[in-house]
């Protein structure tokens, strides 16, 4: 899946993250990604390994990778 622009002018991207297994993991990943400038919403789901990120503009994948690494997990790529 590639990024898509919603009608409200926001960009939604779903990423695959490996290693999440619980709510604490979801919170750690969400917290780090939320710190990226322009991010308005993050929803991490450990059971699927998917993290949905809504932002005001397209994010740099390396910034997302760095945030996920900081949380202690691995960004596999876009879902």
């Amino acid at each position: 899946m590639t990024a898509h622009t919603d009608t409200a002018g926001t960009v939604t991207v779903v990423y695959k993250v490996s290693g999440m297994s619980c709510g604490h993991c979801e919170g750690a990943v969400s917290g780090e990604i939320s710190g990226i400038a322009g991010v308005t919403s993050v929803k991490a789901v450990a059971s699927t390994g998917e993290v949905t990120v809504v932002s005001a503009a397209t994010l740099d994948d390396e910034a997302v990778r760095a945030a996920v690494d900081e949380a202690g997990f691995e960004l596999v790529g876009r879902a």
Side-chain angles (χ1 to χ4, degrees), residues 19 58 70 72:
T58 302
E70 184 66 28

Side-chain angles (χ1 to χ4, degrees), residues 29-64:
V29 170
S30 295
E32 289 295 334
I33 294 175
S34 292
I36 299 172
V39 171
T40 57
S41 172
V42 181
K43 179 172 175 58
V45 180
S47 62
T48 62
E50 292 186 344
V51 181
T52 303
V53 181
V54 179
S55 57
T58 302
L59 299 176
D60 176 22
D61 285 346
E62 288 309 309
V64 177

